[in-house]
Amino acid sequence: MKILVIGDSCKDIFIYGEISRMCPEAPVPIFNPKYQKENGGMALNVVANLYSCGAKQVDILTNKQNITKTRYVEEKSNHMIMRVDINDSVEEKLTAEMILGINFSKYDAVIVSDYCKGFLDIEIIKYISYAHKLTFLDTKKELSEWAYGFTYVKVNEPEWNKSLNSGEKIENWKDKLIVTKGSKGCEYNGNIYSVEKVNFLDVSGAGDTFLAGLVFSYLQTKDIFSSIKYANEVATMVVQEKGVTTPYGLNNETFSL
């Protein structure tokens, strides 16, 4: 099983600490940092989750510029009090020359993880969708004809609603669109795939886990229905843990930038 992941990456930083009093100068809490965790985020998190599910070889094509997302979290409640993003977009872009240099035929599947940070433009993504027979897309961009070439497209419910409000029609996506709905599970081809009710601690990175689980299972089974169920299962596992993590305990810090 050889998989290629193309997309935006970042470093996720979680600073856990204690809040015991309010600031006397302003109505804000005083945060006392205790410890910090870091891991690769976005496309790098997809890679980590693929390996956690059992993939043996995953290549990644991503930005070199360092995007960081730093979350300050009260440890006892796991309540995030602030997120600080640095270099939220990159000037570096994936070029046509770089894409043309890829031997897509050596991969079993290609994943595009498009967080809309500037690394991927629509024309490049469209080219990738037709460059391989099995392609998966997770994007923050509004969907339209540029994404019709993908085998499967995964977006969350607010993202899909934006596309609907822009005039996109569900009929164009009937056999390929998967819409994740948080605690309600996901929807595919008019059917709802529910998830087990659990105690949600952190949903950060859960979409990456869903995507990785979907692709890993599909490569084994070639059955989209069982793959969606598996993707739901692994995503449900990670939302019960703190921070951005993987379903089977693989240390995501291995893939940090």
Side-chain angles (χ1 to χ4, degrees):
M1 185 185 294
K2 296 180 181 180
I3 304 168
L4 176 62
V5 177
I6 303 173
D8 315 271
S9 291
C10 73
K11 179 187 290 185
D12 281 320
I13 302 172
F14 287 79
I15 300 175
Y16 293 94
E18 178 184 56
I19 297 174
S20 59
R21 60 195 178 99
M22 297 295 289
C23 175
E25 295 92 3
V28 295
I30 294 175
F31 183 81
N32 181 20
K34 296 294 186 181
Y35 62 95
Q36 177 173 315
K37 291 185 176 181
E38 298 182 8
N39 59 266
M42 302 193 298
L44 280 169
N45 190 40
V46 175
V47 173
N49 276 271
L50 284 166
Y51 277 123
S52 182
C53 289
K56 299 303 180 185
Q57 181 177 338
V58 185
D59 294 338
I60 182 168
L61 184 58
T62 189
N63 51 284
K64 303 299 182 185
Q65 290 175 257
N66 197 7
I67 298 171
T68 62
K69 299 178 181 179
T70 303
R71 299 165 175 89
Y72 292 82
V73 183
E74 201 282 319
E75 184 181 16
K76 288 184 179 179
S77 65
N78 203 49
H79 177 70
M80 187 195 308
I81 62 170
M82 182 172 62
R83 191 179 104 177
V84 179
D85 290 3
I86 298 176
N87 298 328
D88 193 46
S89 61
V90 295
E91 296 178 2
E92 169 188 10
K93 290 186 179 294
L94 183 61
T95 65
E97 290 76 16
M98 294 168 68
I99 284 293
L100 292 172
I102 298 173
N103 179 11
F104 284 96
S105 64
K106 72 177 184 179
Y107 296 102
D108 298 299
V110 177
I111 301 172
V112 174
S113 176
D114 174 35
Y115 271 81
C116 219
K117 300 299 182 182
F119 184 64
L120 298 171
D121 63 35
I122 283 178
E123 290 305 314
I124 289 290
I125 297 175
K126 185 176 181 179
Y127 176 87
I128 296 169
S129 72
Y130 292 103
H132 194 277
K133 62 181 179 181
L134 182 59
T135 53
F136 296 80
L137 171 67
D138 185 1
T139 183
K140 302 298 181 187
K141 293 181 175 67
E142 290 183 8
L143 294 174
S144 66
E145 57 82 25
W146 61 266
Y148 288 169
F150 283 92
T151 313
Y152 294 105
V153 176
K154 177 245 140 186
V155 293
N156 64 37
E157 191 169 28
E159 291 161 355
W160 173 235
N161 287 338
K162 288 181 181 179
S163 296
L164 285 175
N165 292 336
S166 295
E168 197 54 46
K169 300 185 183 303
I170 187 64
E171 304 89 75
N172 299 331
W173 303 92
K174 184 177 180 182
D175 296 324
K176 63 181 62 187
L177 180 69
I178 301 166
V179 180
T180 55
K181 297 173 174 283
S183 61
K184 298 176 183 177
C186 69
E187 182 175 357
Y188 172 70
N189 211 2
N191 296 313
I192 299 295
Y193 295 79
S194 60
V195 293
E196 177 187 0
K197 290 185 178 180
V198 297
N199 180 27
F200 280 59
L201 280 181
D202 201 326
V203 299
S204 302
D208 301 328
T209 303
F210 182 97
L211 179 63
L214 180 77
V215 176
F216 177 77
S217 178
Y218 190 82
L219 284 173
Q220 291 185 311
T221 66
K222 297 298 186 293
D223 183 271
I224 191 60
F225 305 106
S226 62
S227 298
I228 288 172
K229 292 178 181 178
Y230 178 76
N232 270 342
E233 289 173 7
V234 291
T236 300
M237 292 169 69
V238 299
V239 298
Q240 297 177 74
E241 304 292 335
K242 289 184 177 181
V244 173
T245 187
T246 58
Y248 299 113
L250 180 68
N251 184 359
N252 198 351
E253 293 179 31
T254 305
F255 306 96
S256 61
L257 291 170

